[in-house]
Amino acid sequence: MKEAGLTKDKVVSLLSSKSDEKNKAGMARYGINVEKAFGISVNELREIAKRIGKNHELAMELWESGYREARHLAVMIEEVDRVTGTQMGKRFRFVGYMRRDVHPSVPENALRLQKVDEWMKSDKEFVRRAAFALIAALAVHDKKAEDGRFEVYFNDIKRCSVDERNYVKKAVNWALRQIGKRNRRLNKLAVGVAKELKTSDSKSAGWIGSDALRELTNPKVVMRFK
């Protein structure tokens, strides 16, 4: 149930009350700057987001606060049709290297596809990761998209599969798996790509292919298409 009257200060205070030093220490071990972090789990943030509901103005204020979890929460409560391209770029690059199941604040227009192409060309690890994380998110959430929108990314998946950087290869793997779970046709094509990657000389591509193939051929996944 939505809770009225939650201002930026009240939300930040709520986040502060849930601060977990143990989680912060774990974040720091992964090289995350915890100077403005509370160490709150994604599940707790989801519950807070449900209490707030969609709120563009509050999302803007929470983002500007600079607190890590406040920015994470801003992405969750954003009204997607009110997000500009600049805001989308900043926010998705932020969540692009965080938990993969965060629903991005992405406008329902061609701008998001332009961002995929733009970020994929970047040599920066988290920017390139954001491109494939966005592809994966679109594959999950854009139910009306035609197959062709995702087929074009198979070549990019193969090209970037040799990128050995951890965050990139995991995002490439995620994108391939989510595309392949949309329907029977895309599943067949994704399985073909996964098999090709599995036999690659690249260690990264081989891992991506093997891992994706395991899920895409899982009987539970295949049964969805029958």
Side-chain angles (χ1 to χ4, degrees), residues 163-176:
D163 191 325
E164 299 286 345
R165 291 175 294 181
N166 190 51
Y167 286 106
V168 175
K169 71 178 183 181
K170 286 186 175 181
V172 172
N173 172 268
W174 182 30
L176 178 58

Side-chain angles (χ1 to χ4, degrees), residues 9 11-12 20 30 45 64 72 75 88 96 102 176 198 214:
D9 290 339
V11 172
V12 171
D20 188 317
Y30 281 95
L45 291 175
E64 293 302 324
H72 201 154
V75 174
M88 183 184 76
V102 176
L176 178 58
K198 185 179 179 179
R214 188 180 305 112

Side-chain angles (χ1 to χ4, degrees), residues 187-206:
N187 178 266
K188 183 177 180 180
L189 294 173
V191 165
V193 172
K195 287 181 177 179
E196 181 180 339
L197 296 180
K198 185 179 179 179
T199 61
S200 171
D201 293 332
S202 164
K203 184 177 179 180
S204 174

Side-chain angles (χ1 to χ4, degrees), residues 72-201:
H72 201 154
L73 193 58
V75 174
M76 292 178 170
I77 68 171
E78 183 58 90
E79 298 174 56
V80 295
D81 58 343
R82 298 180 66 181
V83 181
T84 67
T86 299
Q87 291 167 353
M88 183 184 76
K90 290 179 179 178
R91 295 180 190 183
F92 202 87
R93 281 196 295 272
F94 174 73
V95 301
Y97 60 88
M98 297 178 67
R99 283 291 298 267
R100 66 184 187 180
D101 53 355
V102 176
H103 191 297
S105 55
V106 183
E108 292 297 321
N109 55 45
L111 182 60
R112 58 191 181 183
L113 301 179
Q114 295 172 11
K115 288 297 179 182
V116 169
D117 295 334
E118 176 187 331
W119 296 342
M120 201 176 293
K121 295 174 183 177
S122 173
D123 290 328
K124 295 181 179 179
E125 182 175 5
F126 291 136
V127 178
R128 181 172 289 181
R129 172 182 170 79
F132 287 99
L134 181 49
I135 292 171
L138 292 172
V140 172
H141 298 291
D142 195 343
K143 306 298 184 183
K144 297 180 180 180
E146 297 181 356
D147 289 358
R149 174 176 292 182
F150 298 101
E151 286 182 57
V152 298
Y153 295 124
F154 284 136
N155 283 333
D156 295 309
I157 286 172
K158 289 189 283 187
R159 177 173 56 83
C160 294
S161 67
V162 298
D163 191 325
E164 299 286 345
R165 291 175 294 181
N166 190 51
Y167 286 106
V168 175
K169 71 178 183 181
K170 286 186 175 181
V172 172
N173 172 268
W174 182 30
L176 178 58
R177 289 186 288 109
Q178 295 306 325
I179 292 174
K181 291 191 291 184
R182 280 183 65 88
N183 57 50
R184 184 189 298 277
R185 181 173 178 277
L186 286 175
N187 178 266
K188 183 177 180 180
L189 294 173
V191 165
V193 172
K195 287 181 177 179
E196 181 180 339
L197 296 180
K198 185 179 179 179
T199 61
S200 171
D201 293 332

Side-chain angles (χ1 to χ4, degrees), residues 13 27 53 219:
S13 178
M27 293 163 63

